Amino acid sequence: MDQTTVAVGSDHAGPEFKDQLIAYLRQKGFAALDFGIPAGTERANYPDVARKVAEAVARGEAQFGILICGTGLGMAMVANKTPGVRAAPCVNEFMAEMARAHNDANVLALGVRVIGPGLAHAIVDRFLSVSFAGGRHAERLALFS
Ligand code: RB5
C-alpha cells in the first residue's frame, strides 16, 4: 500500500510540538514533510508557513497537511485561500471526524495554546483515519465555488 504523506508546518507557537508530531506520524507509518519552522526560531509569520503547506497539498505532494499555530485560526484562514485546500481548525475528535466525513478537509489546523499534546494526537489520529462520506456532502462541496 502506498504511504500517505502529511505536510506539517508551524509558526513560532509550536515548532517543538511540530517536531514531536512528525516523529509520531512517522512512527505510525506516515511519510511526513517538514515545512518548518525549526525549533528555536524566535518568530515566524504564520501566513508564510500556511501557504507553503497548503500549496504542497494542492500540488499533490502530500495528501494531507497539518498546521500548528497558537490557535489554529490564522493558519486555517490562510490555507483556505489556496484553491483545492479545505482547512479545518479542530479542538476535539468530533470536529476532526466531521471535517473529514462531511467537509473532506485535507488540512487540519491545531492551536497549541488551546489544546495539549495528548488531545492533539487524538485529533490527528481521528482526522487521518476517517474517510469522506461523499453523497450529499459531495454535492455540497461542489457548491463551494
Ligand atoms: C502568534 O503569536 C499567533 O498569533 C499565531 O500563532 C496564531 O495563533 C494566529 O492565528
mmCIF file of all heavy atoms in Angstrom, residues 2 29 49-50 53 56 64-65 71 74-75 84 90 113 122-123 127 131 135 142:
data_model
loop_
_atom_site.group_PDB
_atom_site.id
_atom_site.type_symbol
_atom_site.label_atom_id
_atom_site.label_comp_id
_atom_site.label_asym_id
_atom_site.label_seq_id
_atom_site.Cartn_x
_atom_site.Cartn_y
_atom_site.Cartn_z
ATOM 1 N N ASP A 2 0.456 2.254 -0.801
ATOM 2 C CA ASP A 2 1.226 3.498 -0.842
ATOM 3 C C ASP A 2 1.142 4.212 0.497
ATOM 4 O O ASP A 2 0.099 4.228 1.142
ATOM 5 C CB ASP A 2 0.668 4.418 -1.935
ATOM 6 C CG ASP A 2 1.090 3.944 -3.318
ATOM 7 O OD1 ASP A 2 2.040 3.148 -3.397
ATOM 8 O OD2 ASP A 2 0.446 4.355 -4.299
ATOM 9 N N GLY A 29 3.610 5.195 10.601
ATOM 10 C CA GLY A 29 3.687 4.693 9.233
ATOM 11 C C GLY A 29 3.399 5.713 8.157
ATOM 12 O O GLY A 29 3.363 5.371 6.973
ATOM 13 N N VAL A 49 4.046 30.090 6.444
ATOM 14 C CA VAL A 49 4.084 28.637 6.656
ATOM 15 C C VAL A 49 2.803 27.993 6.121
ATOM 16 O O VAL A 49 2.840 26.962 5.436
ATOM 17 C CB VAL A 49 4.251 28.320 8.168
ATOM 18 C CG1 VAL A 49 4.290 26.814 8.388
ATOM 19 C CG2 VAL A 49 5.495 28.984 8.723
ATOM 20 N N ALA A 50 1.673 28.603 6.409
ATOM 21 C CA ALA A 50 0.387 28.031 5.969
ATOM 22 C C ALA A 50 0.340 27.912 4.449
ATOM 23 O O ALA A 50 -0.124 26.903 3.900
ATOM 24 C CB ALA A 50 -0.761 28.913 6.462
ATOM 25 N N VAL A 53 2.515 24.903 3.146
ATOM 26 C CA VAL A 53 1.877 23.595 3.389
ATOM 27 C C VAL A 53 0.658 23.434 2.485
ATOM 28 O O VAL A 53 0.465 22.387 1.853
ATOM 29 C CB VAL A 53 1.501 23.445 4.877
ATOM 30 C CG1 VAL A 53 0.598 22.241 5.093
ATOM 31 C CG2 VAL A 53 2.754 23.335 5.730
ATOM 32 N N ALA A 56 1.675 22.628 -1.044
ATOM 33 C CA ALA A 56 2.165 21.246 -1.174
ATOM 34 C C ALA A 56 0.986 20.280 -1.279
ATOM 35 O O ALA A 56 1.014 19.319 -2.061
ATOM 36 C CB ALA A 56 3.054 20.883 0.015
ATOM 37 N N PHE A 64 -2.368 15.160 2.872
ATOM 38 C CA PHE A 64 -2.917 15.955 3.972
ATOM 39 C C PHE A 64 -1.875 16.956 4.455
ATOM 40 O O PHE A 64 -0.670 16.754 4.270
ATOM 41 C CB PHE A 64 -3.327 15.064 5.148
ATOM 42 C CG PHE A 64 -4.446 14.109 4.820
ATOM 43 C CD1 PHE A 64 -4.184 12.762 4.639
ATOM 44 C CD2 PHE A 64 -5.747 14.571 4.668
ATOM 45 C CE1 PHE A 64 -5.213 11.880 4.315
ATOM 46 C CE2 PHE A 64 -6.775 13.703 4.347
ATOM 47 C CZ PHE A 64 -6.507 12.352 4.175
ATOM 48 N N GLY A 65 -2.379 18.009 5.107
ATOM 49 C CA GLY A 65 -1.496 18.953 5.765
ATOM 50 C C GLY A 65 -1.927 19.122 7.206
ATOM 51 O O GLY A 65 -3.111 18.979 7.535
ATOM 52 N N THR A 71 -3.539 29.301 17.917
ATOM 53 C CA THR A 71 -4.966 28.955 17.991
ATOM 54 C C THR A 71 -5.442 28.011 16.892
ATOM 55 O O THR A 71 -6.548 27.471 16.981
ATOM 56 C CB THR A 71 -5.810 30.235 17.848
ATOM 57 O OG1 THR A 71 -5.471 30.837 16.571
ATOM 58 C CG2 THR A 71 -5.526 31.223 18.966
ATOM 59 N N GLY A 74 -5.475 31.421 12.452
ATOM 60 C CA GLY A 74 -4.819 32.163 11.379
ATOM 61 C C GLY A 74 -4.325 31.225 10.289
ATOM 62 O O GLY A 74 -4.454 31.506 9.086
ATOM 63 N N MET A 75 -3.744 30.106 10.707
ATOM 64 C CA MET A 75 -3.238 29.118 9.741
ATOM 65 C C MET A 75 -4.369 28.642 8.825
ATOM 66 O O MET A 75 -4.190 28.536 7.602
ATOM 67 C CB MET A 75 -2.641 27.916 10.473
ATOM 68 C CG MET A 75 -1.312 28.183 11.125
ATOM 69 S SD MET A 75 -0.024 28.289 9.872
ATOM 70 C CE MET A 75 1.440 27.954 10.849
ATOM 71 N N GLY A 84 -8.420 24.288 -3.819
ATOM 72 C CA GLY A 84 -8.268 22.840 -3.613
ATOM 73 C C GLY A 84 -8.020 22.458 -2.171
ATOM 74 O O GLY A 84 -8.039 21.277 -1.822
ATOM 75 N N CYS A 90 -9.581 22.368 14.423
ATOM 76 C CA CYS A 90 -10.338 21.401 15.245
ATOM 77 C C CYS A 90 -9.796 21.384 16.667
ATOM 78 O O CYS A 90 -8.586 21.348 16.873
ATOM 79 C CB CYS A 90 -10.217 19.988 14.659
ATOM 80 S SG CYS A 90 -10.953 19.816 13.019
ATOM 81 N N ARG A 113 -1.853 26.568 21.846
ATOM 82 C CA ARG A 113 -2.161 27.335 23.060
ATOM 83 C C ARG A 113 -3.595 27.055 23.515
ATOM 84 O O ARG A 113 -4.082 27.662 24.468
ATOM 85 C CB ARG A 113 -1.957 28.827 22.804
ATOM 86 C CG ARG A 113 -0.494 29.170 22.536
ATOM 87 C CD ARG A 113 -0.279 30.608 22.145
ATOM 88 N NE ARG A 113 1.121 30.848 21.808
ATOM 89 C CZ ARG A 113 1.554 31.861 21.082
ATOM 90 N NH1 ARG A 113 0.698 32.763 20.613
ATOM 91 N NH2 ARG A 113 2.838 31.992 20.823
ATOM 92 N N ALA A 122 -4.783 12.690 19.504
ATOM 93 C CA ALA A 122 -6.075 12.008 19.288
ATOM 94 C C ALA A 122 -6.827 12.654 18.122
ATOM 95 O O ALA A 122 -7.457 11.959 17.308
ATOM 96 C CB ALA A 122 -6.906 12.062 20.567
ATOM 97 N N ILE A 123 -6.764 13.974 18.025
ATOM 98 C CA ILE A 123 -7.414 14.684 16.915
ATOM 99 C C ILE A 123 -6.752 14.298 15.593
ATOM 100 O O ILE A 123 -7.425 14.018 14.598
ATOM 101 C CB ILE A 123 -7.343 16.216 17.156
ATOM 102 C CG1 ILE A 123 -8.251 16.602 18.317
ATOM 103 C CG2 ILE A 123 -7.703 16.983 15.891
ATOM 104 C CD1 ILE A 123 -8.079 18.040 18.798
ATOM 105 N N PHE A 127 -8.518 12.485 12.459
ATOM 106 C CA PHE A 127 -8.530 13.179 11.168
ATOM 107 C C PHE A 127 -7.960 12.278 10.068
ATOM 108 O O PHE A 127 -8.505 12.202 8.964
ATOM 109 C CB PHE A 127 -7.710 14.466 11.280
ATOM 110 C CG PHE A 127 -7.770 15.350 10.066
ATOM 111 C CD1 PHE A 127 -8.818 16.242 9.886
ATOM 112 C CD2 PHE A 127 -6.774 15.309 9.093
ATOM 113 C CE1 PHE A 127 -8.885 17.074 8.765
ATOM 114 C CE2 PHE A 127 -6.826 16.131 7.973
ATOM 115 C CZ PHE A 127 -7.884 17.011 7.806
ATOM 116 N N SER A 131 -12.697 8.633 6.479
ATOM 117 C CA SER A 131 -12.842 8.911 5.036
ATOM 118 C C SER A 131 -14.006 9.873 4.782
ATOM 119 O O SER A 131 -14.967 9.928 5.566
ATOM 120 C CB SER A 131 -13.109 7.605 4.275
ATOM 121 O OG SER A 131 -12.022 6.740 4.442
ATOM 122 N N GLY A 135 -21.614 11.348 -1.306
ATOM 123 C CA GLY A 135 -23.067 11.513 -1.392
ATOM 124 C C GLY A 135 -23.487 12.964 -1.311
ATOM 125 O O GLY A 135 -22.957 13.814 -2.018
ATOM 126 N N ALA A 142 -19.426 20.692 -4.056
ATOM 127 C CA ALA A 142 -19.488 21.208 -5.431
ATOM 128 C C ALA A 142 -20.056 22.620 -5.469
ATOM 129 O O ALA A 142 -19.867 23.346 -6.454
ATOM 130 C CB ALA A 142 -20.305 20.271 -6.309
#
